[in-house]
Amino acid sequence: MHYMRLRTLALLIGGMSLATAMQAQDVSGYQQPPAIMRDLLLAPPTPSANIDRSGRWLMLTERSSYPGLAELAEPELRIAGLRINPANFSPSRTGTVEKITLRDLSTNKDHQIQGLPAPLHAVSIQWSPDELRFAFIQLEEKRADLWVVDMASLSARKVNNAALNNLPAAGFSWAGNDQLVYRTVPANAGSMPAKPAAPNGPIIQENLGRQGASRTYQDLIRSAYDEAMFEYLATSQLMVNDLKSERPIGKPAIHAGMSVSPDHQQLLITIIRKPFSYLIPYYGFPKRVEVLPISGGPARLIAELPSEEGAPIGFDDVPDGPRNHQWRDDEPATLIWVKALDKGLGRSKATERDAVMALDLKGSGLPKELFRTKMRFSDVIWGNLENAIVMEGMFATRKTRMSLFNPSTGRLDSLYERSSNDAYSDIGRPVTVKNIQGRSLLVIRNEKEMLLRSQGSSPAGDLPMLLAYDLKGGGRKILWRCQEPYYEQIVEVIDPVNPVILTSRESTNEVPNYYMHDLGAKKPKTTALTSFPNPYPQLEGISKKKIAYKRADGVDLTGNLYLPKGYDPAKDGPLPVLIWAYPREYKSAADAAQVRGSKYAFTRLSWGSPIFWATQGYAVLDNAEMPIVGEGDKEPNDQFIPQLYLNAHAAIRELAVMGVGDSTRVGVGGHSYGAFMTANLLAHTKLFKAGIARSGAYNRTLTPFGFQAEERTYWQAPQVYFNMSPFSFADKVKTPILLIHGELDNNSGTFPIQSERFYNALKGHGATVRYVQLPFESHGYAARENLLHMLWEQHQWLEKYVKNAGK
């Protein structure tokens, strides 16, 4: 089906009378929601904070707001799983920093940096190891450049000559305090390949009996021209810059990754090779892993990695070969990698899953095995000669483990194990600190304690904390914890020995601001560092409450309830309701029942939030829990529809019992998997007056090799795929449904054809349905015009079919 690219939306109406359809289609062009909703959407975001290791400089960065549609309409190539701006050899649609302010905490004065490019469009901001400088990539319309800011003079300057190549992703590395490594467009790149007027033959793919299952991806290579364009745009030249001049190292290649060794002498690089795949994104193409001396000289081959096309696709499956090559942070030039001991098959029986290998490039040159894991290896945090932390886990069992590894003896001891769904037992991740080489190492206090940053999940909600964990005895003590009625998160641990931490503190009526806590002082001291104003004064007076309730089978649920300013249930009666949710799968009813999030969090508004409608006279239940539980040998999705009903019915009943929600006027909505949920609720229940489904997938046979947390294929569980597809029950949808989808959705599985076909099926059965396709939008929407119109569409739908239902 061919769609013309229009700057205005095509408003497609089906299943209504001709007069109604004509009236709706008479509305042309972009529309605006109520002024209060518009102003809330366009409110500038609060700055983000980053602090240097010394605790002196607080960097405040302000990001770009929503771009105009014209920016999204600029030329863009979609190849090999990438969205590319061919004009500047960078990823397209990249959010950038538009303002940088440096606050000297010793004087509490703000300083502007002299010589910054104007307008500023910065990405990838990185401190040098000694933090006397920081660098960033400036994205211009026709090229990208590397800039360095000197902290002594607070001045910026461009340091490169050749234009940067930021594909597949933007990035650079410090190789010491005064040396940078980055990628540029090769000097001999030549002209961009010309698109042929006609193909020189058919596009052919072939498989000769080899099993080659793959998940559904978008923006893939589809022709010889796409191959040529990918090779041309992604080929880069590595450069080394001493802040005075730049010089090339190695040969031009498609560099998928690069990492500087801790001693700043060598570069670990991953090079993509042919043949390119038409079924998987670039990161699954054949690769070479090499080590390249930064001073110059030939590269050393570490591994040849085959294409991942046809590799096992289970959630616990990995390639049967070396993977995850990286530097060991606590040694000058030691490579580590992982190899599977179970042929990469997570469903196979095995007492040990992975082995972690090491190769000291300054030693004998022979690899050695460091340790083995019983579950799938996920991470290692290096500390000293006796202490490193190893993480492992398995999706199938929802188990995760943290272990202590002794690099000197090779001993690996489990510290604790938990269900990955059990938030209450999560003690967090170890705190690290950067050494003089800029590598993050495990903090060890008093030769026995490590520090952990935890969300502090509990029946009272998230109360983040800093823990000290005794590596020898296993004891734990809380050094700091967020205090009610605030939600306060640790942003940085500035001094781990005599703890000084940077936090972001907020409450239901206080905007997030940054604070410094000196926990090591005789009298712990707290200093406010920022005082940002409330970006949403329009929401003042709107109440927020985390409510708890049970579904019929006893599973505990929660949700965030927003009620209009000045609302009095006794006087005003029950309100029309909007429920917004996203289903999640669990292997335990107890884990599913846990409280998630904080009742003290400040209300933030994103473009996709339902909270806008609390300003329009609705009771809004946001993040309504929709757990899907499958205990023991049962898979959660075997009972997906019945459990959706239990969740939705419980929420509606609770709001009615509270006297705030009119159970006869309830709308439901969601984005992506939440849209899938919405369509299923309308197909299988009569609980709602209307639904809003944005960028969803409605026919699971179009994602036959698994989706979301479903690991079984269509051929292994055909009834599950059929029963979970609202497309299968399009004839049962009698409740009005608004479908919205980005024209260029790039998310795996949510192709725009999902909404197109679902709309046609609904229309064919006489449903009340409206399908809005947003020009140039991806899975997440970005353009100002599209977002304002989206709010208008949703508002009109809710006003007509929910608030004024039956009128």
Side-chain angles (χ1 to χ4, degrees):
M1 183 179 293
H2 175 69
Y3 288 89
M4 295 182 63
R5 290 188 170 223
L6 302 176
R7 290 295 177 89
T8 58
L9 294 176
L11 306 178
L12 306 177
I13 316 301
M16 295 181 281
S17 68
L18 179 61
T20 304
M22 289 180 64
Q23 182 180 10
Q25 289 177 345
D26 284 342
V27 177
S28 62
Y30 282 107
Q31 304 299 313
Q32 296 273 328
I36 190 172
M37 296 173 71
R38 179 197 64 216
D39 294 343
L40 285 169
L41 175 73
L42 299 180
T46 55
S48 297
N50 179 286
I51 198 165
D52 72 339
R53 193 164 57 244
S54 69
R56 176 186 174 185
W57 290 105
L58 183 71
M59 182 191 298
L60 300 173
T61 55
E62 299 178 35
R63 302 193 70 83
S64 54
S65 190
Y66 303 116
L69 186 64
E71 186 174 333
L72 262 65
E74 291 176 353
E76 178 185 67
L77 298 178
R78 297 178 290 280
I79 307 173
L82 295 169
R83 295 278 170 101
I84 298 170
N85 181 344
N88 63 7
F89 289 79
S90 297
S92 57
R93 307 179 185 219
T94 303
T96 61
V97 169
E98 294 189 333
K99 185 178 180 180
I100 301 174
T101 301
L102 293 170
R103 179 167 299 174
D104 187 340
L105 297 180
S106 65
T107 62
N108 206 33
K109 290 184 178 180
D110 288 349
H111 298 268
Q112 301 302 319
I113 302 166
Q114 302 300 311
L116 285 173
L120 181 65
H121 298 297
V123 297
S124 302
I125 300 174
Q126 295 182 39
W127 290 102
S128 62
D130 61 9
E131 297 189 342
L132 298 180
R133 301 180 179 93
F134 68 85
F136 62 87
I137 294 173
Q138 166 73 2
L139 296 180
E140 302 286 357
E141 184 177 351
K142 298 297 184 182
R143 59 180 281 152
D145 292 302
L146 189 60
W147 287 68
V148 171
V149 174
D150 180 76
M151 295 301 293
S153 61
L154 294 180
S155 62
R157 65 185 179 92
K158 183 171 76 74
V159 297
N160 64 297
N161 292 317
L164 268 62
N165 186 327
N166 292 314
L167 299 173
F172 63 90
S173 296
W174 285 96
N177 297 317
D178 51 10
Q179 190 168 244
L180 291 156
V181 181
Y182 49 91
R183 290 164 290 147
T184 66
V185 178
N188 60 350
S191 300
M192 190 176 296
K195 187 172 185 178
N200 59 8
I203 298 169
I204 299 172
Q205 298 185 59
E206 183 178 37
N207 187 62
L208 301 177
R210 179 173 175 264
Q211 187 172 353
S214 62
R215 299 191 181 276
T216 54
Y217 297 104
Q218 306 206 46
D219 302 338
L220 300 179
I221 288 177
R222 299 183 182 278
S223 66
Y225 171 71
D226 284 352
E227 290 193 59
M229 286 297 294
F230 172 69
E231 185 172 17
Y232 173 81
L233 289 166
T235 297
S236 61
Q237 172 65 60
L238 290 170
M239 288 285 189
V240 178
N241 192 315
D242 62 2
L243 306 186
K244 297 176 184 177
S245 62
E246 62 186 5
R247 60 177 174 84
I249 58 169
K251 298 177 181 179
I254 302 176
H255 295 100
M258 62 177 185
S259 174
V260 176
S261 61
D263 65 1
H264 304 147
Q265 301 299 309
Q266 304 187 70
L267 195 63
L268 175 66
I269 56 176
T270 303
I271 296 173
I272 289 176
R273 301 183 298 111
K274 292 181 176 180
F276 304 146
S277 173
Y278 283 41
L279 292 178
I280 57 177
Y282 74 92
Y283 47 78
F285 294 177
K287 293 180 283 288
R288 285 172 60 93
V289 179
E290 299 178 347
V291 170
L292 186 65
I294 290 178
S295 60
R300 175 175 176 174
L301 177 64
I302 301 298
E304 294 265 13
L305 306 180
S307 171
E308 294 179 19
E309 184 178 311
I313 60 173
F315 295 147
D316 290 320
D317 293 341
V318 295
D320 185 18
R323 69 183 196 274
N324 295 6
H325 292 82
Q326 57 188 278
W327 295 109
R328 178 169 163 170
D329 291 317
D330 64 334
E331 292 191 350
T334 297
L335 281 178
I336 65 166
W337 65 89
V338 189
K339 69 173 184 179
L341 300 173
D342 57 2
K343 297 185 178 180
L345 302 175
R347 290 283 183 179
S348 64
K349 292 184 178 180
T351 56
E352 295 175 321
R353 294 288 174 188
D354 285 326
V356 174
M357 309 296 295
L359 174 62
D360 183 356
L361 297 180
K362 295 194 172 190
S364 66
L366 298 175
K368 66 176 182 179
E369 184 178 299
L370 295 181
F371 57 85
R372 295 186 173 194
T373 59
K374 297 184 181 300
M375 294 185 276
R376 194 63 78 204
F377 170 85
S378 60
D379 195 13
V380 58
I381 302 170
W382 298 101
N384 55 30
L385 293 176
E386 296 181 349
N387 298 288
I389 297 297
V390 175
M391 308 286 194
E392 56 186 293
M394 295 293 284
F395 174 84
T397 59
R398 307 305 199 274
K399 293 293 185 183
T400 183
R401 176 183 295 153
M402 179 187 290
S403 300
L404 178 65
F405 173 62
N406 187 319
S408 297
T409 65
R411 184 183 178 96
L412 185 69
D413 295 307
S414 176
L415 293 178
Y416 88 108
E417 185 176 316
R418 68 178 183 90
S419 164
S420 56
N421 289 157
D422 181 6
Y424 291 175
S425 67
D426 186 4
I427 62 174
R429 282 189 62 85
V431 171
T432 60
V433 63
K434 288 185 178 180
N435 62 10
I436 58 174
Q437 283 81 32
R439 312 299 291 198
S440 295
L441 297 179
L442 181 69
V443 172
I444 304 294
R445 301 184 345 142
N446 306 321
E447 298 184 353
K448 65 174 185 175
E449 284 183 341
M450 70 173 175
L451 298 185
L452 296 158
R453 290 166 54 171
S454 169
Q455 271 298 100
S457 299
S458 72
D462 289 353
L463 295 169
M465 57 184 171
L466 181 68
L467 290 169
Y469 187 99
D470 188 334
L471 293 171
K472 296 181 179 179
R476 311 170 194 174
K477 61 182 177 182
I478 298 174
L479 303 180
W480 173 89
R481 188 162 198 177
C482 162
Q483 297 298 308
E484 300 178 87
Y486 294 101
Y487 176 58
E488 191 167 7
Q489 306 177 75
I490 299 173
V491 178
E492 296 280 354
V493 178
I494 300 167
D495 182 348
V497 179
N498 299 299
V500 178
I501 59 175
L502 174 70
T503 67
S504 174
R505 178 196 291 176
E506 60 194 87
S507 70
T508 54
N509 56 7
E510 293 181 29
V511 67
N513 271 290
Y514 295 98
Y515 291 79
M516 185 94 75
H517 296 275
D518 186 350
L519 307 177
K522 290 183 180 180
K523 288 186 177 181
K525 180 182 177 183
T526 298
T527 306
L529 303 181
T530 61
S531 56
F532 301 130
N534 184 354
Y536 312 123
Q538 303 91 335
L539 293 183
E540 292 178 1
I542 287 178
S543 67
K544 174 189 175 182
K545 180 181 181 182
K546 182 172 280 291
I547 62 172
Y549 51 99
K550 288 182 181 291
R551 70 185 197 187
D553 61 357
V555 174
D556 292 317
L557 305 173
T558 63
N560 297 325
L561 177 62
Y562 297 85
L563 297 172
K565 181 179 180 179
Y567 170 66
D568 184 340
K571 295 179 181 179
D572 303 323
L575 299 170
V577 175
L578 174 59
I579 295 176
W580 203 265
Y582 191 97
R584 299 189 185 279
E585 300 82 357
Y586 298 90
K587 291 294 291 179
S588 160
D591 290 346
Q594 292 184 352
V595 177
R596 288 168 175 82
S598 171
K599 58 186 175 182
Y600 302 119
F602 180 76
T603 299
R604 292 175 175 83
L605 284 181
S606 68
W607 59 266
S609 174
I611 302 170
F612 292 99
W613 280 274
T615 69
Q616 303 299 308
Y618 291 78
V620 177
L621 187 62
D622 190 21
N623 289 323
E625 292 286 350
M626 292 279 173
I628 309 298
V629 182
E631 296 190 304
D633 295 334
K634 296 179 180 179
E635 292 295 329
N637 285 339
D638 293 341
Q639 295 295 316
F640 184 81
I641 302 302
Q643 293 196 50
L644 271 190
Y645 174 83
L646 291 176
N647 296 326
H649 182 267
I652 295 171
R653 180 187 60 196
E654 178 64 19
L655 297 180
V657 170
M658 292 174 64
V660 301
D662 182 348
S663 62
T664 68
R665 293 186 297 159
V666 183
V668 64
H671 189 90
S672 193
Y673 208 56
F676 172 73
M677 168 207 74
T678 297
N680 267 307
L681 283 170
L682 299 193
H684 296 285
T685 79
K686 303 299 180 185
L687 297 172
F688 301 97
K689 288 298 183 184
I692 299 171
R694 293 194 317 240
S695 297
Y698 310 106
N699 185 346
R700 296 276 51 135
T701 67
L702 297 179
T703 56
F705 288 103
F707 59 91
Q708 206 70 6
E710 179 55 66
E711 195 172 14
R712 296 168 295 183
T713 71
Y714 167 77
W715 297 273
Q716 293 170 327
Q719 282 304 117
V720 171
Y721 277 69
F722 179 86
N723 291 333
M724 287 184 68
S725 296
F727 182 87
S728 304
F729 303 94
D731 59 328
K732 306 299 183 185
V733 178
K734 306 302 180 184
T735 304
I737 183 170
L738 172 63
L739 302 174
I740 302 175
H741 216 119
E743 176 193 24
L744 302 177
D745 193 327
N746 65 338
N747 184 55
S748 176
T750 56
F751 303 89
I753 198 172
Q754 290 273 6
S755 287
E756 294 166 13
R757 293 291 182 257
F758 191 40
Y759 167 76
N760 288 333
L762 293 169
K763 177 182 177 181
H765 287 95
T768 300
V769 57
R770 182 178 177 92
Y771 173 37
V772 178
Q773 191 176 78
L774 300 177
F776 304 109
E777 294 293 358
S778 184
H779 190 61
Y781 313 152
R784 186 183 310 110
E785 297 91 334
N786 282 334
L787 294 175
L788 291 169
H789 187 91
M790 178 202 71
L791 291 177
W792 178 82
E793 289 281 0
Q794 295 179 171
H795 185 61
Q796 299 301 310
W797 201 254
L798 293 171
E799 290 288 288
K800 181 175 183 178
Y801 293 111
V802 177
K803 180 182 282 187
N804 297 298
K807 294 184 182 179

